[in-house]
Amino acid sequence: MKILAHLLRLLWWFGAASVPVLISRYYQSYRQAIQCPKSGDCYTPGAEHLFGLELLVAFSALTIWPLFVWYVLVQPWRMRIAKRRSNSAVLAGTPRP
């Protein structure tokens, strides 16, 4: 059960981390749909929404990706180190702090 909970947590974080990528893909498809040039400014009708999408991609990436790194990489690593320290303290016969 513990492994299933860990797997579901990982899948949730990978899904959350993919949100900025999905928004970016939507941005590109929207830009093509309103026939904007590949580079430079776009002055076609509907282009006023592109800046909002760019901000959404940037802010979602800046908030979600650090959390993803913390919960998927750093926190399990810190828990593993803490577990090793507590196991070595038990084996050495010293009380845990």
Side-chain angles (χ1 to χ4, degrees), residues 26-28 30-32 34 36 41-44 46-56:
Y26 175 76
Y27 169 83
Q28 293 299 328
Y30 182 73
R31 192 173 167 98
Q32 287 176 349
I34 61 173
C36 285
D41 293 334
C42 182
Y43 298 108
T44 59
E48 62 273 5
H49 302 293
L50 291 174
F51 182 67
L53 284 172
E54 288 174 353
L55 288 177
L56 183 62

Side-chain angles (χ1 to χ4, degrees), residues 18-35:
S18 69
V19 168
V21 175
L22 295 174
I23 296 171
S24 178
R25 287 190 178 187
Y26 175 76
Y27 169 83
Q28 293 299 328
S29 67
Y30 182 73
R31 192 173 167 98
Q32 287 176 349
I34 61 173
Q35 298 175 348

